[in-house]
Amino acid sequence: MDQSVLELSDIQSGALRPRPAPYVATYLLVRIDDHKVGRELMRKLSAVVATADHPTSPLKDTWVSVALSFQGLKVLGVPEASLDTFSPEFREGMAARAKQLGDEGESSPSNWEKPLGSPDAHVVVTAISSNKGQLEAELERVRTTYRGLSGITVIWGQDCHALPNEKEAFGFKDGISHPAIEGSGIPGSNPNERPLKAGEFILGYPDEIAHAPSIPQPEVLGRNGSYIVFRKLHQRVAEFRRYLKSNASSAEAEELLAAKMMGRWRSGAPLALCPMHDDPMLGTDSQRNNNFLFKDDPIGYKTPAGSHIRRMNPRDANIAGVVRIHRMIRRGTSYGPVLPDGVLEDDGIDRGLMFAFVGANLGRQFEFVQSEWMNQSSFFGGDSERDPVAGAADGSGNFDVPKRPLRQRVPGLPRFVVTRGGEYCFLPGLRAMRWLADLNP
Ligand code: HEM
């Protein structure tokens, strides 16, 4: 077997396939109380999980994926020698990494929604579809895997759904920019970005640094798996709107400030291609809306270096470091209702994003981006500002918009996104799921 050809029939669909648009999704968190029953659950779930080559749904845009936390692997009885081969961040779990992630104050694990971040979070089942009927059918298939099994408890759930026009709660079009992955057959969205080595996302393949990076052992367990990060992120939409209003003199200026913070107009149109005015046709045109680089804009007059998308993917901008080793697959889904247009006071309803990262390296991908690029600015030579959309701001920092003759400094950046909880998980390949099911004694 050629070890470098992606085994799509063993890789979970949820790792490689962009989610359908529009979508509905449900996340279930499962606790395993009895390791033997947990193994039985793995066996049954392995028949429900869709693979990257052929999703089980006839519609091809419905699938179930299954991920396990470190505690989950432990409870199933994975031997110590094998557990030790998983990445240190994964073994610690997300709550223990709070400091590195900026999960402090109201975002700190002590304030998380229970039981997120607790040792009871063992298995995360995600079902996603383009329509409710099909989602319900898939969820029913999931329920049949544990119905009647004592020793398995669903301890938490979250329903998500696409908001109108594929926007997230702040009102920006989401789900636009994705890396291309060698051998996946799934195209990327930026023709200027060379496809990334598959090993950046799927364990067991060459990555951008090494021909044979180390993976969790035994090989049958690690190969074709990925790490996945789940984060429930509450969005303070009213506060975001008030910030725009109090720092802009007109409705047009508010939209421009919002675009400068994101790096795109709410329509999805990138400032890199239309810096002065929105272009909604461009925003929805997937052939063009991610076809740009930053090298013609070193100072950030069009797209501020501190904007969300330029921080999260600086492309060819001059920064300290190598962008290609910090890329990620994102699978965000929105929860909660839209805050009606024009409302500036919080209505007390929870809304936000179930953020999901997929990659082969929690440390140099997710944690690096979250700590160095989102919550610091030295990599692009900025002051001590944070990501103006999703950073761990505390009201004392600024957001700088490069301008001639003088930059515009928007002071008092509050925190618009609060972490409600999450976990680091491992998304095993199908063979690995069956290996887990066969664990003995
Ligand atoms: C509630 C929190 C967040 C919101 C509302 C948000 C919103 C967005 C939006 C609207 C885009 C542009 C559209 C697109 O390319 O899909 C985007 C891009 C992106 N975001 Fe976020 N995001 C959030 C949190 C995060 C986090 C926590 C990370 C990673 C640690 C992240 C990483 C990225 C990346 C990598 C891109 C693509 C950048 C590019 O290639 O141009 N985002 N986000």
Side-chain angles (χ1 to χ4, degrees):
M1 180 172 58
D2 181 347
Q3 293 289 305
S4 64
V5 173
L6 267 184
E7 293 178 278
L8 296 176
S9 61
D10 196 49
I11 298 167
Q12 294 198 35
S13 187
L16 290 176
R17 269 176 191 276
R19 57 163 166 68
Y23 59 85
V24 273
T26 295
Y27 300 79
L28 299 173
L29 186 57
V30 175
R31 188 184 66 217
I32 299 168
D33 299 314
D34 177 314
H35 65 282
K36 288 205 171 123
V37 183
R39 293 170 186 173
E40 188 53 26
L41 179 70
M42 281 303 121
R43 184 179 323 284
K44 290 183 168 170
L45 281 175
S46 70
V48 176
V49 163
T51 56
D53 65 335
H54 181 64
T56 46
S57 151
L59 292 175
K60 297 201 178 215
D61 55 3
T62 299
W63 64 80
V64 167
S65 55
V66 171
L68 296 105
S69 68
F70 182 66
Q71 294 301 328
L73 292 177
K74 246 172 128 169
V75 169
L76 283 182
V78 173
E80 206 67 39
S82 168
L83 291 173
D84 289 349
T85 60
F86 281 83
S87 82
E89 300 85 6
F90 173 71
R91 284 184 274 149
E92 279 192 49
M94 186 184 285
R97 306 292 296 170
K99 199 160 180 287
Q100 289 82 351
L101 300 177
D103 285 339
E104 292 174 310
E106 49 197 333
S107 286
S108 72
S110 55
N111 292 323
W112 285 3
E113 194 174 310
K114 303 277 178 293
L116 301 178
S118 80
D120 284 351
H122 295 159
V123 180
V124 179
V125 179
T126 307
I128 189 154
S129 177
S130 57
N131 69 84
K132 269 191 169 163
Q134 194 77 17
L135 179 77
E136 187 42 45
E138 284 300 284
L139 283 171
E140 186 48 29
R141 291 180 70 209
V142 171
R143 287 185 211 110
T144 56
T145 66
Y146 57 76
R147 191 173 284 140
L149 288 183
S150 58
I152 298 293
T153 314
V154 176
I155 54 174
W156 181 86
Q158 178 70 57
D159 291 330
C160 291
H161 54 270
L163 304 180
N165 305 319
E166 296 169 51
K167 299 202 167 172
E168 49 68 51
F170 293 141
F172 294 92
K173 184 170 160 57
D174 201 3
I176 297 175
S177 179
H178 304 290
I181 302 156
E182 270 185 12
S184 70
I186 298 165
S189 53
N190 181 358
N192 301 290
E193 185 178 50
R194 199 161 29 88
L196 286 131
K197 294 274 181 220
E200 288 296 308
F201 307 102
I202 309 292
L203 294 159
Y205 299 88
D207 66 17
E208 293 286 325
I209 297 177
H211 186 69
S214 64
I215 64 168
Q217 294 297 317
E219 166 137 355
V220 61
L221 176 61
R223 188 171 167 85
N224 293 327
S226 298
Y227 289 106
I228 182 159
V229 173
F230 295 103
R231 266 166 98 70
K232 181 170 178 180
L233 300 175
H234 167 71
Q235 293 179 245
R236 291 188 167 142
V237 179
E239 176 137 21
F240 185 78
R241 290 179 185 172
R242 287 199 302 271
Y243 179 78
L244 295 178
K245 201 167 246 336
S246 55
N247 288 294
S249 52
S250 64
E252 291 75 45
E254 275 180 48
E255 283 311 295
L256 181 61
L257 176 56
K260 292 285 184 187
M261 291 165 78
M262 179 57 74
R264 291 183 184 272
W265 300 91
R266 293 193 211 236
S267 69
L271 287 174
L273 299 180
C274 50
M276 306 308 286
H277 300 283
D278 192 4
D279 180 348
M281 294 275 278
L282 171 61
T284 50
D285 182 346
S286 61
Q287 300 298 310
R288 295 191 295 141
N289 63 11
N290 204 31
N291 188 352
F292 61 91
L293 293 168
F294 294 127
K295 70 169 173 279
D296 65 334
D297 182 25
I299 308 289
Y301 288 128
K302 290 194 274 184
T303 314
S307 62
H308 181 62
I309 67 157
R310 190 158 166 171
R311 281 173 178 272
M312 296 295 95
N313 179 10
R315 303 183 188 218
D316 61 343
N318 193 9
I319 57 150
V322 178
V323 172
R324 287 176 71 79
I325 64 169
H326 307 299
R327 301 287 284 123
M328 65 179 75
I329 296 176
R330 283 175 305 138
R331 296 275 178 266
T333 52
S334 289
Y335 70 90
V338 175
L339 184 68
D341 274 351
V343 175
L344 294 177
E345 287 308 317
D346 187 23
D347 59 2
I349 299 177
D350 191 11
R351 54 175 64 78
L353 203 68
M354 274 300 292
F355 171 85
F357 150 102
V358 178
N361 205 304
L362 288 174
R364 81 164 148 84
Q365 293 173 324
F366 175 68
E367 286 203 354
F368 180 90
V369 170
Q370 175 78 25
S371 64
E372 303 292 317
W373 289 358
M374 185 169 283
N375 287 325
Q376 293 188 45
S377 298
S378 49
F379 71 101
F380 66 85
D383 288 343
S384 57
E385 4 160 325
R386 294 175 171 192
D387 186 304
V389 176
D394 61 5
S396 66
N398 308 306
F399 172 57
D400 284 345
V401 184
K403 252 189 184 174
R404 292 185 193 92
L406 275 182
R407 77 165 172 224
Q408 178 192 0
R409 170 155 279 187
V410 191
L413 184 75
R415 184 168 192 144
F416 299 120
V417 171
V418 179
T419 312
R420 290 269 199 250
E423 195 48 276
Y424 287 164
C425 290
F426 175 66
L427 192 73
L430 273 284
R431 274 199 300 272
M433 285 186 78
R434 292 191 288 270
W435 182 87
L436 290 167
D438 288 342
L439 278 169
N440 206 354

